[in-house]
Amino acid sequence: MPTNKNALIRYKYLDSLLSDYHHFYDIHDLTEKVNDMLYEDGFPEVTQRCIEKDINTLEYAPFSAPLERFNKNGKHCIHYENRSFSIFKKEISREEQNLLREVLSTIGQFDGLDNFGWLEDFKIGLHIEERRQIISFSNNPYLQNSNLLGTLFDNISNEVVIKLSYHTFSDETIRSIDFHPYLLKQYNDRWFLLGAADSDQKILNFALDRIDKVEPLPEKKYIECPDEIYDRFEDIVGVTLYEERPVEHILLWVSDFSKGYVDTKPIHGSYTSIKGALEQQLRLKYPQLKSGMFFTLDCIPNFELIRELCSYGKELIVLQSDGHIQDNIFKRISEMNEIYSIVRT
């Protein structure tokens, strides 16, 4: 057995890679992946020959790892014969079982969906008994293509590039795109898939009910999710992100009737109510707005923001913004008034 002090660390890395059935790794890929992990953890990189010796070591006593070698798209790939095999086995503690029991109960809304069957098997293995529901999340049981949640969850978890076939609300023509999936996000009782286009790494989102087919592309190299993606989505309401648009400072007024609702359930995380001298200045500037409350938002305008602001009707008014939010809302209201004037005659 090798005496290299970093050998056990490499075995741990190789163990996770060889049990990965979502990708097809040859010896070159394994060497690259292991060296990436070594570099991230502060260890020196190794040669391909070293990785070859490590794999030979894993295949014999004391590890006796059952390896399968196969050809895929011209690559001489290798993985464990059984995806559940690992040279590192550890029984979970009672505390970990209790935690898992609560987590599984919380995400039980995914029971019965494709690729989430392991949840039930996991519960059985942990002897988790059925009990009454304590927490209820918003859930739309009639959402089209909700069965894709499990498939997409699986691909995101295992960092697999996918070929996404989809259509839009306005055009039934089916289009395809090679896509790096990063995040499943729920908004307004609808699920969205967020990720990057393979061609230019532009961040896109797709509603699940617009997706026609998902095909894994394990031979393609996955581009990892950029760290700042979650920060960027903090600047919007909903899921539609226009990367070229700047954050706008928006001044709004809300009536007494709705101010309690807005104050306790802000439209966006940047919500700030205006008090003191600045509020008095605004009272003088807008004397026609009796009582109520002034507040500001700092976010990137999109369709979801406009719809949210319009949902309050006359109870919420956009007073100022850096862009054209007020014009967009005024245009929408004018068009609605025109349509209602026609249908009411």
Side-chain angles (χ1 to χ4, degrees):
M1 182 179 292
T3 57
N4 188 327
K5 64 179 181 180
N6 294 330
L8 190 60
I9 296 170
R10 297 197 304 274
Y11 298 163
K12 178 181 177 181
Y13 299 153
L14 284 169
D15 185 66
S16 65
L17 294 170
L18 293 171
S19 60
D20 181 358
Y21 271 53
H22 293 85
H23 299 88
F24 302 136
Y25 295 132
D26 61 12
I27 189 63
H28 307 291
D29 299 324
L30 292 172
T31 303
E32 179 183 357
K33 290 286 185 181
V34 169
N35 276 328
D36 287 343
M37 296 176 184
L38 287 169
Y39 177 79
E40 289 179 5
D41 291 340
F43 296 105
E45 297 182 358
V46 296
T47 64
Q48 179 174 310
R49 179 59 182 159
C50 178
I51 298 299
E52 290 174 345
K53 290 181 177 179
D54 288 344
I55 292 174
N56 287 335
T57 299
L58 294 181
E59 200 165 9
Y60 299 100
F63 302 111
S64 301
L67 298 179
E68 178 183 10
R69 293 173 172 82
F70 60 98
N71 292 323
K72 190 69 176 181
N73 297 329
K75 296 172 65 174
H76 302 292
C77 303
I78 180 173
H79 62 202
Y80 288 145
E81 290 182 359
N82 184 347
R83 69 172 67 192
S84 63
F85 177 85
S86 173
I87 61 173
F88 300 95
K89 289 291 185 181
K90 175 182 178 293
E91 297 293 330
I92 64 174
S93 68
R94 181 177 296 276
E95 289 77 13
E96 290 169 330
Q97 286 191 37
N98 291 334
L99 177 60
L100 284 171
R101 184 177 289 110
E102 292 304 315
V103 171
L104 290 173
S105 297
T106 300
I107 63 175
Q109 59 179 313
F110 298 122
D111 282 353
L113 295 181
D114 289 350
N115 283 8
F116 278 105
W118 54 268
L119 273 178
E120 187 59 34
D121 295 337
F122 202 16
K123 289 180 183 179
I124 294 173
L126 292 177
H127 307 290
I128 296 178
E129 70 282 357
E130 292 294 330
R131 62 183 180 184
R132 69 178 182 85
Q133 188 176 21
I134 298 175
I135 300 176
S136 177
F137 291 93
S138 176
N139 186 30
N140 181 1
Y142 307 107
L143 178 67
Q144 293 185 26
N145 286 354
S146 61
N147 60 303
L148 287 177
L149 280 171
T151 299
L152 295 171
F153 175 89
D154 191 49
N155 287 315
I156 294 172
S157 300
N158 293 283
E159 299 186 336
V160 178
V161 182
I162 58 176
K163 180 177 288 294
L164 199 67
S165 299
Y166 68 97
H167 63 280
T168 66
F169 281 109
S170 58
D171 187 354
E172 292 295 323
T173 303
I174 297 179
R175 301 174 173 87
S176 293
I177 182 174
D178 289 358
F179 194 66
H180 301 259
Y182 295 148
L183 178 68
L184 286 165
K185 184 176 178 65
Q186 188 182 37
Y187 175 72
N188 198 26
D189 283 341
R190 171 173 280 144
W191 283 95
F192 295 85
L193 171 66
L194 286 73
D198 186 63
S199 55
D200 56 8
Q201 283 76 66
K202 183 177 181 180
I203 300 298
L204 304 172
N205 77 77
F206 296 90
L208 259 62
D209 52 8
R210 301 292 93 192
I211 296 176
D212 298 283
K213 185 179 180 182
V214 175
E215 179 184 353
L217 302 173
E219 69 278 6
K220 299 204 70 167
K221 186 173 182 178
Y222 183 85
I223 300 173
E224 292 187 0
C225 178
D227 293 335
E228 74 277 7
I229 187 172
Y230 302 103
D231 296 332
R232 284 188 280 174
F233 279 93
E234 288 182 358
D235 290 330
I236 65 172
V237 173
V239 296
T240 306
L241 174 63
Y242 298 99
E243 297 186 81
E244 71 281 2
R245 293 185 183 178
V247 172
E248 292 191 17
H249 184 69
I250 310 163
L251 172 65
L252 307 100
W253 171 88
V254 64
S255 69
D256 282 338
F257 180 79
S258 294
K259 70 179 184 181
Y261 189 82
V262 172
D263 201 34
T264 56
K265 187 178 181 295
I267 296 170
H268 183 259
S270 62
Y271 163 84
T272 304
S273 60
I274 298 176
K275 306 289 184 182
L278 182 54
E279 180 186 9
Q280 295 307 313
Q281 293 176 21
L282 292 172
R283 295 287 177 200
L284 294 173
K285 184 175 181 179
Y286 300 101
Q288 65 273 42
L289 299 177
K290 307 296 182 183
S291 62
M293 180 183 74
F294 297 95
F295 68 99
T296 61
L297 300 176
D298 292 280
C299 56
I300 299 173
N302 60 11
F303 173 80
E304 293 96 316
L305 175 64
I306 300 299
R307 183 176 60 184
E308 182 71 17
L309 296 176
C310 287
S311 70
Y312 288 89
K314 64 182 179 62
E315 308 299 330
L316 186 150
I317 306 296
V318 177
L319 300 175
Q320 299 174 19
S321 72
D322 298 333
H324 305 285
I325 295 177
Q326 194 178 54
D327 293 338
N328 291 338
I329 292 177
F330 183 79
K331 179 181 178 182
R332 179 178 290 201
I333 294 172
S334 299
E335 291 173 347
M336 288 178 60
N337 181 63
E338 182 179 346
I339 293 173
Y340 270 105
S341 298
I342 295 172
V343 298
R344 290 186 65 215
T345 57

